[in-house]
Amino acid sequence: MDRTPDAPRVRLLTRPGCHLCDEARTVVEQVCAELGEAYEEVDLDAAAADDPELRRRYTDEVPVTFVDGAQHDYWRVDPARLRTALARPRR
């Protein structure tokens, strides 16, 4: 996942109706708000229309969290681990 320098550091790949996605979103929202970081949420199914590789690669792992363009977690987001990753300088 390519990142531009001004893009949010955290990307959350989700699906509608996914209870794990709802839980992950809550953690990401809280940690990002606490640290003053932005995040973006991407619907896997909508994005896969333009990039079928996304669905092939991540369909069984949603929600998937990326930090600075690199995969960070899937299924669950550990708030302490996310804080630690965001404490590092942007890649």
Side-chain angles (χ1 to χ4, degrees), residues 5 11 20 44 49 52 69 82:
R11 176 180 276 185
L20 290 177
L44 172 65
L82 182 57

Side-chain angles (χ1 to χ4, degrees), residues 14-19 21-22 25 41 43-46:
T14 63
R15 278 206 165 102
C18 166
H19 74 281
C21 298
D22 295 339
R25 181 182 308 108
E41 184 171 342
D43 178 330
L44 172 65
D45 296 325

Side-chain angles (χ1 to χ4, degrees), residues 1-3 7-14 24-25 28 31-32 37-44 47 51 53-59 61-78 81-83 85-86 88 90-91:
M1 300 198 130
D2 294 333
R3 311 302 304 151
R9 293 187 67 192
V10 178
R11 176 180 276 185
L12 180 61
L13 194 58
T14 63
R25 181 182 308 108
V28 168
V31 171
C32 286
E37 293 286 352
Y39 81 95
E40 64 183 343
E41 184 171 342
V42 177
D43 178 330
L44 172 65
D51 186 355
E53 178 65 13
L54 276 178
R55 180 176 287 128
R56 187 197 68 73
R57 187 162 179 202
Y58 298 112
T59 198
E61 296 182 355
V62 291
V64 185
T65 310
F66 299 85
V67 175
D68 296 330
Q71 186 172 342
H72 176 72
D73 267 324
Y74 63 94
W75 295 336
R76 306 248 184 232
V77 180
D78 179 273
R81 189 166 146 19
L82 182 57
R83 279 186 201 94
L86 290 171
R88 294 184 201 113
R90 184 185 288 263
R91 294 187 220 172

